[in-house]
Amino acid sequence: MKRHLISAADLSRDDALLILDTADELARISDRSIKKLPTLRGRTVVNLFFEDSTRTRISFEAAAKRLSADVINFSAKGSSVSKGESLKDTALTLEAMGADAVVIRHGASGAPYRLAGWVRGSVVNAGDGTHEHPTQALLDAFTMRRRLGSLEGRRVTVVGDVLHSRVARSNVLLLATLGAEVTLVAPPTLLPVSVDSWPCEVSYDLDAVLPKSDVVMMLRVQRERMNAAFFPTEREYSRRYGLDRDRVAKLHDEAIVMHPGPMNRGMEIAAEVADSARSTIVEQVANGVTTRMAVLYLLLGGADLGGEDK
Ligand code: NCD
């Protein structure tokens, strides 16, 4: 495995499977009453969040703590970044503190890549602009595997604001590596120009794709990144690309519904669908902790996972 996890493309099939298998093992351990493992004792993980986050930040913090690492949480608000300190100077400060891993979320695509050139520890991309979010793709793959078994030949449909979604790009790359067949469904205005070179199919007709899908992954409409009108009205968007009860009825019995969160309930997904038995949305959050534990454990080369009583 490479030293950093910046793109889902950094992962070979063997790397990805190793992370998922390790996460399975860690999930078994997490079922025990004492969740904490001594594996990363004495190691320091810095969470460097320049963009808002609930799930991802808490999830990385919980993952590092369960492995007994020392965790430093840094958010741009209230730090010297608001005084204009550059990413490079922030990185040098972290370096001086001896961070073994830096988990970074940043509004600029490519920021984790630059950071990797300035620090000695491992860099984990927790979302950079509209570029990538590899641990989200890993936790999604982990969730799919738990519900559906092997991903080989599985059909995954990713629907919505692909243009602004780092989750979509990382998922397409990782799922292709794992042998799944991905179809993106979005209005043409919400697809990146480069999508032709992605390892997936594209469709504009959600109703036609649903009956063949094993997984439907809904994406949030990212209004904060929209500087123009990408669709006529919210109602129109919902009508054509939203997942409501009638659309869910087109899925086969085992098919699952996913969303990385945060959701716009009533927009890309109806509340009753989000809360239904097919929905894995809450599981995704729980699986995020074990998957990130696996990533930190493997990147930092932690000691034995320990305990025969798995
Ligand atoms: C996603 C993100 O931040 O890229 N959320 C997440 O990490 N759970 C998706 C989004 O913001 O819509």
Side-chain angles (χ1 to χ4, degrees):
M1 221 161 97
K2 294 189 177 169
R3 183 155 62 97
H4 308 293
L5 178 55
I6 292 172
S7 160
D10 292 339
L11 301 169
S12 67
R13 189 181 150 81
D14 284 350
D15 291 338
L17 291 173
L18 176 63
I19 295 172
L20 299 179
D21 291 343
T22 306
D24 265 327
E25 190 138 327
L26 288 162
R28 271 198 294 277
I29 295 172
S30 296
D31 286 341
R32 299 196 293 214
S33 53
I34 298 169
K35 297 191 172 24
K36 213 161 164 129
L37 293 171
T39 330
L40 295 185
R41 197 153 47 199
R43 307 297 199 90
T44 302
V45 175
V46 176
N47 287 323
L48 192 58
F49 278 69
F50 293 89
E51 249 193 8
D52 294 345
S53 171
T54 308
R55 271 156 282 263
T56 307
R57 191 173 53 76
I58 295 173
S59 179
F60 270 108
E61 182 173 353
K65 285 184 170 162
R66 280 196 198 165
L67 293 170
S68 303
D70 293 322
V71 182
I72 299 175
N73 288 312
F74 171 100
S75 68
K77 230 178 260 162
S79 75
S80 289
V81 170
S82 52
K83 298 180 190 164
E85 185 163 27
S86 69
L87 179 61
K88 181 164 186 183
D89 287 323
T90 307
L92 296 177
T93 306
L94 300 175
E95 190 60 27
M97 287 177 187
D100 296 293
V102 182
V103 177
I104 177 173
R105 168 166 288 196
H106 200 287
S109 302
Y113 178 77
R114 294 305 301 273
L115 183 68
W118 295 321
V119 296
R120 255 170 306 181
S122 292
V123 172
V124 182
N125 181 3
D128 62 330
T130 58
H131 179 227
E132 283 222 39
H133 193 355
T135 60
Q136 179 71 41
L138 284 163
L139 78 87
D140 290 338
F142 181 81
T143 306
M144 290 178 213
R145 219 171 64 142
R146 288 214 136 185
R147 284 273 191 129
L148 304 168
S150 165
L151 297 188
E152 194 72 54
R154 288 293 186 177
R155 292 183 168 161
V156 182
T157 303
V158 180
V159 188
D161 186 358
V162 177
L163 180 65
H164 300 107
S165 178
R166 49 204 181 198
V167 175
R169 187 191 304 261
S170 289
N171 259 292
V172 167
L173 294 171
L174 183 69
L175 288 167
T177 302
L178 292 172
E181 291 170 22
V182 184
T183 303
L184 299 175
V185 181
T189 48
L190 287 177
L191 283 171
V193 186
S194 62
V195 79
D196 292 346
S197 62
W198 293 18
C200 63
E201 304 287 316
V202 172
S203 163
Y204 303 107
D205 185 353
L206 182 54
D207 292 306
V209 177
L210 287 177
K212 313 180 273 211
S213 307
D214 299 305
V215 177
V216 191
M217 183 184 295
M218 303 308 295
L219 299 172
R220 182 173 66 88
V221 174
Q222 303 199 18
R223 289 198 197 81
E224 79 279 17
R225 297 191 207 274
M226 292 186 185
N227 52 6
F230 287 88
F231 45 84
T233 62
E234 291 192 358
R235 226 179 115 138
E236 171 74 6
Y237 179 88
S238 239
R239 203 177 58 75
R240 293 204 50 179
Y241 298 99
L243 193 64
D244 59 10
R245 194 197 335 192
D246 293 344
R247 288 216 159 99
V248 166
K250 298 189 161 87
L251 293 169
H252 69 70
D253 286 350
E254 267 80 57
I256 57 171
V257 172
M258 308 182 77
H259 192 302
M263 289 181 268
N264 298 306
R265 284 174 182 254
M267 172 102 175
E268 70 263 0
I269 188 164
E272 61 184 319
V273 174
D275 300 329
S276 69
R278 286 181 188 277
S279 159
T280 62
I281 297 169
V282 178
E283 270 163 69
Q284 285 170 264
V285 177
N287 291 340
V289 178
T290 28
T291 310
R292 288 172 177 129
M293 283 171 81
V295 167
L296 292 174
Y297 167 76
L298 291 168
L299 287 181
L300 298 185
D304 200 356
L305 276 184
E308 292 308 345
D309 57 328
K310 280 165 200 158

